[in-house]
Amino acid sequence: MKKHLLTLALTATLGMTLLSTAQAADYKYVLLHGFQPSQLQSRPDAAAVTANGEKYWQEFWLQHASARIDWPSHERIEGKIATDYLWPKLQQMSRDNLCQSGCVLVTHSTGDLVARYLLENQANWLRNAGLQPLNIIATFDFAGAGGGSELADVALNVADGKAGTLAKKAVQAWLGFEPTRANVGVLNDLSVNTARALVSAPQNRVPRIRFVGGGTDFYWVTDSFLPGQDDGVVASHSSCGAAKAGAFVSCSNRVDLDGKVGATADAVTSFLPNHVPLLMALGYSHSALVGNKTAGKYTTASNSVSFGAGQLSIASKDEKAKWPFSGTYRYVVDSASTPVSALVQRKAF
């Protein structure tokens, strides 16, 4: 009897921490991948889009997900991406009652932008078809490109023959080829002004939880075309979820992207509705954030965020810098040995 009472007490104490409630345990991950440059040229059919989508997440998130929404990069968001890929999947998920207890969208890169369009429309679409809207309680946005990418604008200039040698090299490093107007697809939507105009005043109030990198996979070739701090593909104004584009260096005015504590000039202070930056990882590139490899310590822009039945809370610790460096640095506990995605998945469910 005493053992039974102790179990009940512990359950009550821990019930609202780190999403360990019975309700939270029923939440499902739904994956929404990002831009895949090779598809601009390969123009895959539906079967290949599915195969590409599975491969995209295989390093870490695939094993933790209940569903994926795969889409082709050679199409447009408000065109065939919505009609031929989002809509059929939304209907299937609704009929399967997949999100009855709650779903979390895990997005990467352009998946963040696609998710904004999906979140704003899915309830009306499904109701109009006589189906139950999906109960999406939050999104985990890794290296989010919801604010667009200046690299997309550069790529469109290259496609129009209006770019110089350095711009061509940056685009080639990113895409692997020089695009033409015949194969730019979703790059049109990724243009900064176009991206920010897509559902410019979202009414949906699902928490958009942000995880931001600061490394690169391109030997800094793309860096000069991205304002402020960037991850090699998107600038911080996009990945942090800033209300406007700008040359921002951090998602927090209290801590730098590298974890240094103190007043931070040129930080994002105004965010899109319900966009909450949580982790900032200077050593992680655009692609590394959804991988399963460590790339150095990382810090918190916020320590916790509430959604659904609980919280995603991140423990951090302040450390004095060792000579010859100075100042105080804030690092997430165990971040030196835990990849960003692994930590988020471990803390959230």
Side-chain angles (χ1 to χ4, degrees):
M1 181 66 177
K2 289 182 179 179
K3 183 177 180 181
H4 179 65
L5 291 173
L6 177 60
T7 300
L8 289 176
L10 287 172
T11 300
T13 301
L14 296 174
M16 290 300 290
T17 61
L18 301 180
L19 296 180
S20 58
T21 65
Q23 285 177 293
D26 292 332
Y27 293 162
K28 304 292 195 304
Y29 284 132
V30 177
L31 308 180
L32 193 53
H33 65 71
F35 172 55
Q36 300 188 74
S38 64
Q39 291 184 342
L40 297 182
Q41 291 186 312
S42 66
R43 305 181 71 83
D45 59 17
V49 168
T50 299
N52 291 165
E54 181 176 2
K55 184 178 180 181
Y56 193 101
W57 296 103
Q58 65 183 3
E59 187 173 335
F60 180 78
W61 281 104
L62 186 64
Q63 62 184 309
H64 301 290
S66 297
R68 299 191 320 274
I69 301 176
D70 305 321
W71 56 273
S73 294
H74 64 281
E75 300 290 359
R76 300 292 302 273
I77 292 176
E78 293 184 288
K80 288 190 176 181
I81 291 174
T83 60
D84 293 11
Y85 292 89
L86 299 186
W87 177 229
K89 191 67 178 184
L90 293 174
Q91 293 178 79
Q92 177 189 334
M93 291 167 62
S94 178
R95 291 190 177 106
D96 292 344
N97 294 316
L98 181 72
C99 299
Q100 186 171 5
S101 61
C103 279
V104 174
L105 294 184
V106 177
T107 82
H108 180 238
S109 189
T110 311
D112 170 32
L113 183 60
V114 176
R116 188 197 305 163
Y117 188 72
L118 181 157
L119 290 169
E120 197 68 11
N121 292 291
Q122 65 94 7
N124 285 336
W125 290 348
L126 289 167
R127 284 195 194 101
N128 290 339
L131 295 169
Q132 184 69 27
L134 303 182
N135 179 25
I136 300 172
I137 60 166
T139 71
F140 291 173
D141 301 312
F142 293 86
S149 173
E150 286 76 8
L151 280 183
D153 291 283
V154 176
L156 293 175
N157 285 337
V158 170
D160 289 334
K162 299 177 181 178
T165 301
L166 291 179
K168 289 180 180 179
K169 286 184 177 180
V171 168
Q172 211 162 25
W174 177 36
L175 302 181
F177 60 93
E178 287 187 21
T180 67
R181 269 293 166 181
N183 63 348
V184 288
V186 81
L187 287 177
N188 289 295
D189 298 309
L190 268 179
S191 172
V192 172
N193 289 337
T194 304
R196 288 185 170 274
L198 184 72
V199 192
S200 58
Q203 299 301 306
N204 186 278
R205 290 296 181 262
V206 167
R208 307 296 310 272
I209 305 166
R210 323 291 288 183
F211 307 97
V212 177
T216 183
D217 292 320
F218 307 113
Y219 303 99
W220 308 108
V221 172
T222 59
D223 186 56
S224 60
F225 297 95
L226 295 163
Q229 182 65 55
D230 65 85
D231 62 15
V233 175
V234 297
S236 291
H237 73 79
S238 188
S239 55
C240 294
K244 63 179 182 180
F248 302 112
V249 298
S250 176
C251 304
S252 169
N253 58 9
R254 299 184 301 276
V255 60
D256 286 337
L257 205 75
D258 65 356
K260 188 170 185 178
V261 178
T264 303
D266 300 323
V268 179
T269 57
S270 178
F271 297 89
L272 290 167
N274 270 37
H275 284 56
V276 182
L278 195 67
L279 297 180
M280 301 186 296
L282 182 65
Y284 284 74
S285 68
H286 188 74
S287 60
L289 280 172
V290 289
N292 198 31
K293 297 181 179 65
T294 56
K297 295 180 180 180
Y298 41 92
T299 190
T300 55
S302 307
N303 284 104
S304 66
V305 60
S306 298
F307 62 97
Q311 282 188 327
L312 174 54
S313 298
I314 305 294
S316 61
K317 183 179 180 180
D318 289 358
E319 303 175 7
K320 290 289 185 182
K322 296 180 180 179
W323 187 91
F325 303 102
S326 62
T328 299
Y329 287 76
R330 180 168 298 150
Y331 296 121
V332 171
V333 174
D334 295 331
S335 62
S337 58
T338 311
V340 171
S341 282
L343 183 129
V344 172
Q345 188 276 331
R346 188 181 74 194
K347 293 290 186 180
F349 281 72

